Amino acid sequence: MAVEVGERAPDFELRDQHGVPLRLSDLRGSKVVLVFYPLAFSPVCHGELGAIRDELLPSAPADVRVLTVSVDSMFSHRVWADAERFTFPLLSDFWPHGGVAQAYGVFDDVRGQAVRGTFILDGEGVVRWKIVNEIGSPRDVAEYRKVLEEL
């Protein structure tokens, strides 16, 4: 079942690329850009996360947190984050396999990975905007900036 705008985002705890656990509910008070992507090291994902690093984060208000989620292991995320200088959390939804993506309604059961889903949450953890694209269709980071400005 998909998470819809106006609903409270399902809480979760996943480990980032350094093995540090991160719980979504611990970020209350911050706006959260929650980005699900299929796989590390893939061309479209590289472009999207690069745009977050280069275009979104430098101009984002201090109360905005970016979290990215894929089914890759935290070890894959660490290598990719180090190589690409990603400083935001790359969270591993490895086990149970895709469990968080499933809870948000963005898991592709056939491919065993997330589709491209983004959820923007307000400081109370309520979904205020979302977009879900198929695996091969990139998202536009400019939309994230626009939504965050309106919150």
Side-chain angles (χ1 to χ4, degrees):
M1 181 166 24
V3 174
E4 299 299 335
V5 172
E7 295 178 355
R8 183 169 301 278
D11 196 18
F12 61 82
E13 182 176 303
L14 295 173
R15 292 188 181 275
D16 71 7
Q17 66 267 32
H18 303 286
V20 176
L22 188 147
R23 180 174 294 281
L24 180 63
S25 57
D26 289 344
L27 300 178
R28 290 294 192 300
S30 298
K31 296 172 191 137
V32 175
V33 180
L34 180 60
V35 180
F36 291 89
Y37 63 96
L39 294 169
F41 297 100
S42 61
V44 177
C45 296
H46 177 267
E48 286 187 321
L49 272 63
I52 289 170
R53 177 195 61 215
D54 299 338
E55 299 170 28
L56 178 64
L57 288 178
S59 62
D63 68 339
V64 172
R65 296 288 308 268
V66 172
L67 307 177
T68 66
V69 181
S70 81
V71 297
D72 296 293
S73 73
M74 71 175 189
F75 304 107
S76 299
H77 283 157
R78 177 65 185 265
V79 171
W80 198 36
D82 288 351
E84 298 298 328
R85 298 178 325 277
F86 296 142
T87 56
F88 46 85
L90 278 66
L91 301 173
S92 177
D93 195 12
F94 186 75
W95 197 258
H97 190 74
V100 174
Q102 290 173 26
Y104 279 79
V106 294
F107 189 74
D108 182 326
D109 291 317
V110 174
R111 291 186 169 117
Q113 60 197 30
V115 296
R116 296 183 190 286
T118 301
F119 301 82
I120 296 184
L121 317 178
D122 66 15
E124 298 301 314
V126 175
V127 176
R128 294 299 173 194
W129 182 85
K130 80 174 198 175
I131 188 168
V132 179
N133 290 1
E134 292 302 315
I135 289 175
S137 299
R139 295 156 286 193
D140 184 359
V141 171
E143 288 184 69
Y144 304 170
R145 283 195 307 268
K146 181 180 174 191
V147 172
L148 289 167
E149 289 169 4
E150 294 172 357
L151 280 183

